[in-house]
Amino acid sequence: MLITVVASALLPLRQTVIVGLFNLAAAMAIYGIFLREIGQASQISVIMALAVALGMSVVVCRVRIARERRFERLMIARERLALLSEASSRVGSTLNVARTAEELTEVAVHRFADHAAVDLFDRVLQGEEPAPGPHMGEITLRRTARQSGPVALAGTARPGETVTYRQGSVPALSLRTGEPMRAEIADAACWPADASDAGMNAPHSALAVPLRARGVALGAALFTRSPSREPFDADDLLLAQEIGAQAAVCVDNARRYTHERTTSLALQQSLLPQMAPKQPAVEAATRYIPANSQAGVGGDWYDVIPLPGARVALVVGDVVGHGVHASATMGRLRSAVRTLADIDLPPDELLTHLDDLVTQCRMVSDRTQEASRDVGADFGEVGATCLYMIYDPVSRRCTGARAGHPPPAVVRPGGDVDYFDIPAGPPLGVGGLPFETADLDLAEGSLLVLYTDGLIESLRYDLDEGLERLRKTLSEPMPSLEDTCDRVLNSMVAGRARDDVALVIARTQELDSKHVTTWDLSEDLAEVARARELASLQLASWNLQELAFTTELVVSELVTNAIRYGGRPVQLRLLRQDTLICEVSDGSNTAPHLRRARMFDEGGRGLFIVAQLAEHWGTRQRPEGKTIWAELRL
């Protein structure tokens, strides 16, 4: 009896019955042949007890097996729920398409499959919208991720290589129908060539799960098991379908982020200057590094703008937010800065006009967002910071104003590093608050370092520590501006930028008496002839006699207008660099304008003549009057 009971507790049902019947037969033989002296009633009692024990053992065995199967199913269900939970938490931790595919294969291998691979369309990897399908014939995808258990699957494609699904194969049918499929790999035609030709490690059971999001196929996930494991069943197919659905959403989110980031970066790169323009005031080097964060490309920008009188404007700015909206706002602000710089406004006035523009854009954005709220549009917040500086190589004076932007660094020729103490105005878009300017005289060869806050902000240190780190980095001499830019970025950012970084480093230059000549003139019209003579003599000393006639005519017209319609003091200045610039200053704030004189008018043709002879001409306001300039090509 104990033998049968022990068998029922340890063995399967069939083996339990065999043991019980063998035990019963042995008892009948023993009591019927060897132990005949026992009474017949006792023999029958023993045989009946063994038969009853056999029956009870069968019942106990079936109950035990049922409980074991139930427990096994519960464990399998628990394991599948744990796998599904792990897939939900691990897959999609980044907005990188390739990394998302790798996370899917890492979750699936060992606990669910022996080998896993994710194949995606090239358009998905590039961030583009995939073809809507249906996908017919042979289908070519890109192996994006691959993971194997202890025994690698020989002959399979590596990440980055192309994989072709044969027409009629299980993965091709799965992509075409949009339904997951289970297959026993017995025929090479049912599976991609790289898996079916794997030799001794060829899998015997496989699942093909299409990765679909918003009704469009992004690619497929392939799971296989080696002969050492049980083949996939229907429950495994449902589990793989659920994991694939979650992974598809994560892949599509990463694809859409890649598309927006690529678009924003292309837009921003097209709006930013490709290189600093060559001009006499400064030698400049620039850098722009997009953020590595998942927030997307920001709205940082920089510019180097040549101004009349051989001067230059240096600009850096940072738009609030990230993405296409921030890049578009950056483009509008950069265009506005260039337009305002073209009329030669002082830095504080330029920022005031720019602040009005941002305020208007914010109001329009608020109204547009309110009107579009029903469709879920989000235009983001409109705001920005900006630093605008003007450097004059003749006076070696730098004038700057800033709107909520970090102060620029100044590196003296001896290596001393200071920060230009420009009054910190409010960010653009606040409105109603004034901006102030500050002046600084610079020696020739000084460095002006303009940057956005992404350069000095970090999770590891605060803003003051970032400014001090930048000071120490700039204090180390470098052979060129390009090397200085690279050193600053490697020291301050080192590939871990949380925000966009824009950097401008400019070395100041000086126009000395060999390139600039200035004369003070009286209010007598007889000074016009003297001004022509002075200009002619100066051109002769510069070996520019071929420009004498044109220059004398331009000087004559500008000086005549300044004496007649302007006021004291009247000043004539010639600047020779890549071009010849004639400047006439007077004490009047009234700006001249070009007009067409009638046939019998005695005047009104002076500026028209200047405009025809000069390459460019214009006027700019000064605190004590105005300056009219004309640029002649050498």
Side-chain angles (χ1 to χ4, degrees), residues 480-499:
S480 68
L481 293 181
E482 298 294 337
D483 293 334
T484 304
C485 287
D486 294 337
R487 182 177 182 83
V488 169
L489 294 178
N490 292 334
S491 175
M492 302 296 296
V493 180
R496 56 179 184 277
R498 296 174 53 244
D499 196 3

Side-chain angles (χ1 to χ4, degrees), residues 268 288-291 296-300 318 322 452-455 497-502:
Q268 192 155 18
Y288 171 76
I289 298 180
V297 178
D300 293 15
D318 186 1
H322 296 82
T452 54
D453 55 5
L455 182 69
R498 296 174 53 244
D499 196 3
D500 290 25
V501 175

Side-chain angles (χ1 to χ4, degrees), residues 451-470:
Y451 52 90
T452 54
D453 55 5
L455 182 69
I456 57 176
E457 288 183 347
S458 174
L459 294 175
R460 299 181 301 167
Y461 46 80
D462 58 20
L463 186 61
D464 292 336
E465 293 179 7
L467 292 174
E468 186 60 29
R469 284 172 55 89
L470 179 59

Side-chain angles (χ1 to χ4, degrees), residues 513-519 530-556 572-577 579-583 630-634:
S513 58
K514 297 180 180 179
H515 299 83
V516 181
T517 303
T518 305
W519 300 280
R530 176 171 170 262
R532 290 198 299 266
E533 183 180 358
L534 292 173
S536 179
L537 292 175
Q538 185 61 49
L539 291 179
S541 67
W542 285 341
N543 295 321
L544 298 176
Q545 293 89 342
E546 65 274 9
L547 288 179
F549 177 77
T550 304
T551 304
E552 288 181 14
L553 187 55
V554 170
V555 168
S556 176
L572 170 63
R573 186 169 75 168
L574 297 182
L575 297 92
R576 178 180 65 86
Q577 194 61 35
T579 59
L580 178 66
I581 301 175
C582 304
E583 294 184 348
E631 183 176 324
L632 304 177
R633 179 182 299 178
L634 295 182

